[in-house]
Amino acid sequence: MATYTENLNLKKPAETDFVDVADINENMEAIDHAIASNEQKIAEIEKIQSVIPYAVCMDDINNDHLTAEIVNGVFELKRGIAIDVCFSHDCSCAAYADATLNVNGTGAKKIYVGNKPLYNSAWQSGAIVRFVYDDTRWIAQIPVRANRYQLGIVQLTNSSISGRAAESSWVADIEKSAKTANNTANNAIPKSQIDTAGGVAGLDENRKVLVEEIPIEDIKKLLNLPIIATGNLSIVLDEGNVPKGEHIDFPEGLFTKTPVVFVNPKTTVPGTLVLGASVTNITKAGCDIYLTRTSASSTGVCWLAIQV
């Protein structure tokens, strides 16, 4: 007499039973359906877990102890978990070095930037900051050497500032907010000790604030944005119908791998007098551009190199 398996209820003929093909087919259909269903569930779980949980914090950090509630995504407090938190208030508290973040009631954990406690004015209201849990603390992924207004996942305001106005504002903020741990008013850094680059000279480590700017091309590399270089050159042909090449150099250190290069002649007679332009010998440092026309003449060529 046949029996059945515990999980999928597959038919198991007894040793003395004749094998029925219909039973075999039914078992195979049940197994196939179970595998497909599990694969679909795994795909759905992976899709959910691939989304960084998004949380909102409505607390004023003057309370020192922040709470955030997850509004999108699956959250479980564990080592390596990353979350994005939108803050409704500026980061300007009385004891920011002791500030904590409590996500979904999982407990107050200290906030660090790198290997140091949170510093004052680390973000502005409306900022979206990514945090990573290291098993004991929330590490804020804030680029301390970048412009304040926007970089990658850390969006500090909705509008950009640049030039001397930005520098003056940044220096003024440092003078106002960078203080020692006890945060007494007379510990503010005087403007005379803040250099034009935003660095602070002649102070102990606890009172230094580094605000150097990252070159824009370095930012592009960090964010995996396309890196682009363009230019033009003039190729003087010695004779007609004979290709002539010229070498160009890309900006030093700009490309980290071989870019794609496009060339186009600057002419009003394409296909008639100017027969074509091409590029070869492409490296991270430069390439060779060739031009052919029916007569000896000087012709301009535009080029574009892009790394994605």
Side-chain angles (χ1 to χ4, degrees):
M1 181 177 179
T3 57
Y4 296 85
T5 61
E6 180 178 354
N7 296 308
L8 296 181
N9 200 36
L10 303 178
K11 182 176 287 188
K12 296 170 55 179
E15 293 183 1
T16 57
D17 290 344
F18 291 101
V19 177
D20 189 338
V21 173
D23 291 339
I24 296 177
N25 290 340
E26 184 178 341
N27 286 347
M28 292 176 65
E29 289 289 343
I31 294 171
D32 182 72
H33 181 270
I35 292 175
S37 178
N38 286 339
E39 288 179 345
Q40 182 178 359
K41 291 178 181 178
I42 291 172
E44 290 174 352
I45 292 173
E46 289 178 344
K47 182 178 180 180
I48 293 173
Q49 292 181 342
S50 67
V51 176
I52 300 295
Y54 181 79
V56 174
C57 176
M58 302 299 293
D59 296 337
D60 186 342
I61 200 168
N62 283 311
N63 297 328
D64 299 336
H65 303 298
L66 303 174
T67 59
E69 294 296 327
I70 299 295
V71 296
N72 182 46
V74 177
F75 172 76
E76 177 186 355
L77 185 65
K78 59 182 179 180
R79 181 181 179 88
I81 184 70
I83 62 172
D84 290 338
V85 181
C86 179
F87 291 94
S88 62
H89 291 76
D90 292 350
C91 173
S92 55
C93 59
Y96 50 88
D98 295 321
T100 61
L101 177 63
N102 186 339
V103 181
N104 274 25
T106 53
K109 312 296 181 183
K110 277 198 171 186
I111 302 174
Y112 267 58
V113 178
N115 60 356
K116 294 186 178 181
L118 178 68
Y119 56 87
N120 211 352
S121 295
W123 60 74
Q124 297 173 344
S125 62
I128 300 173
V129 182
R130 180 160 295 175
F131 291 84
V132 176
Y133 186 60
D134 73 351
D135 213 23
T136 57
R137 304 169 297 191
W138 284 110
I139 309 299
Q141 308 297 294
I142 299 176
V144 295
R145 298 183 66 246
N147 284 333
R148 294 187 351 157
Y149 52 89
Q150 185 172 348
L151 176 65
I153 57 171
V154 182
Q155 180 176 316
L156 299 177
T157 67
N158 290 326
S159 59
S160 63
I161 53 177
S162 60
R164 300 298 299 181
E167 177 182 303
S168 299
S169 173
W170 194 205
V171 170
D173 284 350
I174 296 173
E175 181 182 5
K176 177 181 177 181
S177 64
K179 304 174 182 179
T180 54
N182 60 20
N183 207 44
T184 55
N186 59 2
N187 280 324
I189 298 174
K191 193 168 185 177
S192 61
Q193 292 178 284
I194 303 175
D195 61 31
T196 57
V200 181
L203 300 174
D204 61 80
E205 289 298 323
N206 290 330
R207 297 176 65 194
K208 288 185 178 180
V209 178
L210 185 62
V211 290
E212 298 171 351
E213 291 189 355
I214 297 178
I216 187 64
E217 298 305 335
D218 288 351
I219 293 176
K220 289 182 178 180
K221 293 175 185 177
L222 289 172
L223 300 180
N224 294 320
L225 297 178
I227 300 174
I228 300 173
T230 63
N232 58 77
L233 74 159
S234 181
I235 299 180
V236 181
L237 282 81
D238 301 320
E239 54 184 312
N241 298 311
V242 177
K244 183 176 180 181
E246 295 286 351
H247 181 77
I248 62 168
D249 293 317
F250 302 136
E252 184 176 356
L254 176 61
F255 295 115
T256 58
K257 60 183 180 181
T258 302
V260 177
V261 180
F262 303 91
V263 296
N264 193 60
K266 298 192 291 185
T267 179
T268 60
V269 287
T272 55
L273 299 183
V274 176
L275 302 179
S278 63
V279 60
T280 187
N281 299 326
I282 305 172
T283 68
K284 294 185 292 185
C287 66
D288 295 327
I289 296 177
Y290 281 82
L291 181 78
T292 305
R293 62 179 298 151
T294 58
S295 60
S297 181
S298 175
T299 303
V301 178
C302 301
W303 60 266
L304 180 147
I306 181 169
Q307 174 187 321
V308 294

